[in-house]
Amino acid sequence: MKRFVLLVLILITGLTVFSQGIEFQKERYAEVLEMAKKQNKLVFIDIYTSWCGPCKHMADNVFPQAKVGEYYNAHFLNLQLDAEKSEDGKMVAKTFGVSAYPTFLFVNGDGELVYRFLGGKTVDMFVKEGEKAVDAFAARPELKKYTKKYEEGNRDKEFLNQYFILKDRSGLDCSDVLLDYFALVDDSQLLDSINVPRIGKITVFDKKLANRFVDAACVEAANPVKDKKHSTAVNKAICTFLSACVQKTAQADQEENFEEVLALKDRLFKATGAKNSATAASLGGGNIYIPSELLRLNYYSAKKKLDKFNHLFINYIAELQKKYEGSREEKIAMLKAMEAKLKEAKESGNEAEYQAARKLNAMMSAFSSIDDYYTSTSMIENVERYEEIYEGEKDAAYKDRVAGWYVFSHQLSPSAKTAAYVADKLLALDKKGQAKEVLTLGLKDGSSAAGVEESDVKACQAKLDELK
């Protein structure tokens, strides 16, 4: 009996804790808007997809928290929409240009966007974003006044400054205002502390302004007069801006502007010493850090510029193959040097030095792994794309060539996560021997690679056993 009572208490407690989180409405989007209009509230919308890891993290670990539920339930009507499977989700995602997940929207009862943000957040950060949405809602009447004056042609610099602050506080795209604002800013003031953060908020490409930003950054890099923190902020802001530009120009199929952005990137990186790095991109640097060849391949593939894709792909994979042995030897030498340093630190008896060496070793290995894995998976996708668009005879020479590309692309970063997939591609080309080699390498060198789960290792082993 006591055990039964205890079980009931546990269940009740669990339900109580869960109910303290965000309470999501079950009604359709249009109905929730009507409810919000009557209650003079904002609608908070979680736009997610079933495959999005950060979306799942937010749903499992942030939304159920009492602190989050207390604030969001009091201030908003809350709604969850799947951007791919729900009709409302598809419509809302299209209406507000959602392209990354999770994206969080706050709209009023008229369906007008008041505030937005994206990406996984901690509990405190998530509540803070809600507070920003409430502030933006309160400031909306003032924002409407400024918008009306802007549409009437007001381009006074101080007016633009205040209008930007209001729009930015609402999480809205400020590109239009900032383009007009920076047109009034002298070159000598472009990189002032007030203006630097604003550079990263521009999401459209303006050739003249983009060149002014890069020119100013190159001058500063050649004549450093400010602190390192400022230089870092400048590079981050301009790279964020260029990342938005490369994405927008590719989406709009503006090839000339797309190439101009990549040329600006080359100039900026040469001046500042920055390098292509998927690690830097994943840590918030922006997709401008992705190798330009891979950005071009993505663009050509998406816009069906097939001749350009084929030409670049064949040349780029040949270049990677040529560099592979030399870079592989360099990495082996680097790893040996790091291991020797680690051994030396351990034998010295200095625990602090040893722990520092271990931390550095792990960090460098992780960064190298991210770059290699990104290139590997990108090239596997590009080989697959080459197969899809190939129109010639798929004879023995074709199969040998494509199989060699698949094997090499996997070698760039052996992983149990990709080995089974590549093996299936090789089997489709009648390359059973190479499929077994890829699976063996994936298990030997890639069982503990980044992102690999136990299920990946089991799938890889099962596929290998099947082929024996």
Side-chain angles (χ1 to χ4, degrees):
M1 183 67 179
K2 287 182 179 178
R3 290 176 62 188
F4 175 74
V5 172
L6 180 61
L7 177 60
V8 172
L9 287 173
I10 290 172
L11 289 172
I12 292 173
T13 303
L15 289 172
T16 303
V17 171
F18 181 78
S19 68
Q20 288 176 332
I22 295 181
E23 297 173 0
F24 289 100
Q25 303 293 323
K26 302 300 182 185
E27 292 83 0
R28 295 288 301 271
Y29 176 64
E31 295 174 291
V32 177
L33 289 184
E34 283 297 322
M35 294 163 61
K37 198 167 187 177
K38 291 177 182 177
Q39 299 177 37
N40 193 31
K41 279 188 172 183
L42 288 175
V43 179
F44 161 67
I45 310 172
D46 166 32
I47 305 287
Y48 69 95
T49 65
S50 59
W51 47 262
C52 166
C55 299
K56 191 174 188 307
H57 170 78
M58 295 298 291
D60 291 345
N61 301 293
V62 177
F63 296 166
Q65 297 299 318
K67 183 176 181 179
V68 173
E70 181 181 345
Y71 192 84
Y72 275 67
N73 295 336
H75 292 87
F76 315 118
L77 294 176
N78 306 296
L79 193 61
Q80 282 184 305
L81 296 175
D82 188 316
E84 297 178 338
K85 298 178 181 178
S86 156
E87 289 305 314
D88 281 348
K90 292 176 186 177
M91 182 271 291
V92 171
K94 182 177 180 181
T95 299
F96 296 108
V98 175
S99 60
Y101 307 96
T103 287
F104 304 109
L105 307 173
F106 296 82
V107 301
N108 62 19
D110 293 321
E112 298 171 330
L113 182 65
V114 173
Y115 186 71
R116 72 187 290 164
F117 68 98
L118 59 86
K121 305 290 181 185
T122 64
V123 167
D124 289 341
M125 291 167 65
F126 193 70
V127 171
K128 189 70 176 176
E129 293 293 344
E131 293 172 350
K132 291 179 183 177
V134 170
D135 290 343
F137 192 34
R140 189 161 182 79
E142 187 72 6
L143 177 62
K144 283 188 173 182
K145 291 178 183 178
Y146 271 78
T147 300
K148 187 174 185 296
K149 291 179 181 179
Y150 181 77
E151 290 173 347
E152 290 171 349
N154 191 332
R155 294 298 184 271
D156 176 75
K157 186 178 178 182
E158 184 52 35
F159 166 80
L160 293 171
N161 180 57
Q162 292 301 317
Y163 186 31
F164 159 74
I165 292 171
L166 281 170
K167 285 194 78 173
D168 185 51
R169 189 183 299 165
S170 296
L172 301 176
D173 190 316
C174 302
S175 299
D176 53 352
V177 182
L178 287 174
L179 291 180
D180 289 327
Y181 169 80
F182 276 111
L184 303 175
V185 175
D186 187 77
D187 286 350
S188 63
Q189 299 176 324
L190 276 181
L191 303 185
D192 283 358
S193 58
I194 291 176
N195 291 327
V196 168
R198 298 181 177 189
I199 294 172
K201 294 180 182 292
I202 304 174
T203 62
V204 296
F205 180 66
D206 180 278
K207 184 176 179 178
K208 181 178 179 180
L209 183 58
N211 274 279
R212 288 179 66 203
F213 287 150
V214 173
D215 286 345
C218 290
V219 169
E220 181 165 298
N223 304 284
V225 293
K226 297 185 178 180
D227 59 35
K228 187 176 180 181
K229 187 176 180 181
H230 178 266
S231 297
T232 300
V234 168
N235 291 336
K236 182 178 180 180
I238 295 179
C239 284
T240 300
F241 164 61
L242 292 178
S243 293
C245 291
V246 82
Q247 181 178 346
K248 288 290 181 68
T249 54
Q251 288 175 343
D253 196 10
Q254 299 170 344
E255 189 168 356
E256 184 177 340
N257 286 340
F258 177 81
E259 288 297 334
E260 178 71 24
V261 176
L262 294 182
L264 287 168
K265 164 196 170 174
D266 290 342
R267 197 150 63 85
L268 178 68
F269 279 23
K270 183 178 180 180
T272 62
K275 305 289 184 185
N276 287 323
S277 169
T279 303
S282 67
L283 292 176
N287 60 8
I288 201 68
Y289 279 94
I290 300 299
S292 296
E293 293 84 355
L294 291 178
L295 291 172
R296 288 189 178 96
L297 286 171
N298 289 340
Y299 168 50
Y300 294 155
S301 176
K303 297 303 177 182
K304 295 181 171 53
K305 298 176 183 290
L306 305 185
D307 289 342
K308 290 186 175 183
F309 175 87
N310 280 340
H311 180 74
L312 177 58
F313 167 73
I314 291 170
N315 287 334
Y316 185 52
I317 200 165
E319 180 185 332
L320 288 176
Q321 288 173 317
K322 187 176 180 181
K323 291 179 178 178
Y324 175 70
E325 282 305 320
S327 62
R328 182 169 174 271
E329 289 174 3
E330 286 179 9
K331 285 177 182 175
I332 291 173
M334 182 187 73
L335 288 173
K336 286 182 177 179
M338 288 167 60
E339 288 171 2
K341 185 72 175 176
L342 191 62
K343 182 180 178 182
E344 181 183 332
K346 187 175 183 179
E347 291 175 349
S348 71
N350 187 326
E351 182 63 20
E353 184 180 341
Y354 173 63
Q355 292 301 328
R358 279 189 63 189
K359 187 175 180 180
L360 179 62
N361 193 333
M363 184 175 67
M364 292 183 69
S365 296
F367 286 179
S368 176
S369 296
I370 293 173
D371 287 342
D372 292 344
Y373 184 71
Y374 183 87
T375 302
S376 174
T377 54
S378 295
M379 292 310 293
I380 289 170
E381 290 176 1
N382 285 320
V383 178
E384 187 176 16
R385 181 62 171 148
Y386 176 87
E387 280 199 278
E388 290 173 359
I389 65 178
Y390 184 77
E391 296 180 343
E393 183 181 352
K394 296 185 178 181
D395 53 15
Y398 164 85
K399 291 182 178 180
D400 288 344
R401 180 170 69 253
V402 173
W405 287 338
Y406 272 126
V407 171
F408 168 72
S409 297
H410 179 258
Q411 280 179 342
L412 289 171
S413 180
S415 169
K417 197 171 191 70
T418 56
Y421 182 82
V422 172
D424 284 337
K425 293 294 180 182
L426 291 168
L427 290 171
L429 294 166
D430 301 320
K431 301 294 182 181
K432 182 177 179 180
Q434 286 174 297
K436 289 166 67 176
E437 289 174 8
V438 164
L439 291 166
T440 301
L441 181 63
L443 289 168
K444 177 177 175 288
D445 294 347
S447 290
S448 58
V452 172
E453 300 175 358
E454 186 179 350
S455 58
D456 298 318
V457 177
K458 288 181 178 178
C460 193
Q461 185 64 62
K463 176 71 69 177
L464 182 59
D465 292 342
E466 181 185 318
L467 295 180
K468 286 182 178 177

